[in-house]
């Protein structure tokens, strides 16, 4: 069965360290997204990609970067982790952009920055 | 700015009916989604509305009024497993999903 996985599921790091969160999907979807979810906020878009070599900034992209070298993977890098980046991070993918473009979500990564 | 409002928390009784409201103000509209999210898990798709009216899918129905910037999710014959957060999201003019903060639904026996 097709799926979307994230690793690690939990991560504790220190302020200033570089951290990379992995996202891998086997849906063969062109569109991939990274969100963060914080209490009291809706999901907020960090970065997204509509295909290989395509990356775009979302609403809260400062301090984050992504790269898309193949269809399956969209790793998210925190350049220099800050306590404000403590959050739950979700990766998602979708087949199309418009219309009933259901997004399929990974299980999430809980990141704590101390 | 863009804004989606939904109640923070609601409580209902097993077997009853509950309606979760969502109002939105966004730059453009290309559809409204409802997702379910159990605690500690990923969101999963429930429904999509792009035209005014009611869409029914089993025990769940979703309604949309574009002129009022309003939607609701109706859950019938509530079961304990329906205890979850329900997320409203609008696809804006740039085809980006704008998400509400979610409504936590508590089901009591």
């Amino acid at each position: 069965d097709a799926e979307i996985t994230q690793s690690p599921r939990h991560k504790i790091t220190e302020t200033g360290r570089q951290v990379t969160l992995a996202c891998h999907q086997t849906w063969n979807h062109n569109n991939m997204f990274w969100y963060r979810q914080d209490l009291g906020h809706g999901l907020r878009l960090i970065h997204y990609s509509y295909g290989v070599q395509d990356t775009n900034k979302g609403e809260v992209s400062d301090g984050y970067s992504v790269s898309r070298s193949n269809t399956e993977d969209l790793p998210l890098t925190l350049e220099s982790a800050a306590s404000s980046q403590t959050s739950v991070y979700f990766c998602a993918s979708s087949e199309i952009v418009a219309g009933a473009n259901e997004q399929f979500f990974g299980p999430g990564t809980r990141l704590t920055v101390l | 700015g863009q804004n989606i409002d939904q109640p923070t928390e609601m409580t209902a009784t097993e077997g009853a009916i509950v309606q979760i409201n969502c109002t939105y103000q966004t730059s453009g509209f290309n559809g409204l989604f409802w997702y379910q999210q159990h605690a500690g898990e990923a969101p999963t798709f429930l429904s999509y509305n792009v035209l005014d009216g009611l869409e029914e899918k089993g025990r769940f129905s979703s309604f949309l009024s574009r002129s009022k910037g309003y939607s609701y999710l109706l859950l019938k014959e509530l079961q304990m497993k329906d205890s979850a957060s329900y997320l409203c999201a609008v696809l804006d003019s740039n085809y980006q999903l704008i998400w509400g903060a979610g409504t936590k639904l508590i089901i009591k026996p």
Side-chain angles (χ1 to χ4, degrees), chain A residues 9 33 35 37 40-45 48 50 59 90 97-108 110, chain B residues 8 30-31 33 35 37 40-46 48 50 85 87 91 94-102:
Chain A
R9 295 293 312 279
F33 309 85
Y35 294 95
Q37 187 174 42
H41 291 273
L43 288 161
R44 290 183 289 177
L45 184 64
Y48 59 100
Y50 289 153
E59 175 192 0
F90 286 101
V97 173
N101 59 336
E102 175 185 355
Q103 291 191 8
F104 295 86
F105 284 79
R110 183 173 294 276
Chain B
T8 303
N30 283 298
F33 295 78
Y35 279 74
Q37 185 178 24
E41 299 183 7
T44 55
F45 171 81
L46 284 178
Y48 169 75
V50 67
S85 288
L87 315 181
L91 197 63
N94 294 317
Y95 294 98
Q96 298 300 318
L97 273 177
I98 309 302
W99 297 82

Side-chain angles (χ1 to χ4, degrees), chain B residues 23-39:
Chain B
T23 58
Y24 63 89
Q25 289 180 308
T26 56
S27 57
F29 179 86
N30 283 298
L32 185 143
F33 295 78
W34 285 96
Y35 279 74
Q36 181 189 59
Q37 185 178 24
H38 286 100

Side-chain angles (χ1 to χ4, degrees), chain B residues 18-68:
Chain B
V18 70
Q19 177 175 311
I20 302 174
N21 296 325
C22 171
T23 58
Y24 63 89
Q25 289 180 308
T26 56
S27 57
F29 179 86
N30 283 298
L32 185 143
F33 295 78
W34 285 96
Y35 279 74
Q36 181 189 59
Q37 185 178 24
H38 286 100
E41 299 183 7
T44 55
F45 171 81
L46 284 178
S47 68
Y48 169 75
N49 294 68
V50 67
L51 299 176
D52 290 352
L54 188 68
E55 294 278 345
E56 297 186 77
K57 193 186 293 186
R59 294 189 299 114
F60 292 10
S61 302
S62 56
F63 171 84
L64 174 67
S65 168
R66 289 173 295 171
S67 62
K68 295 182 179 178

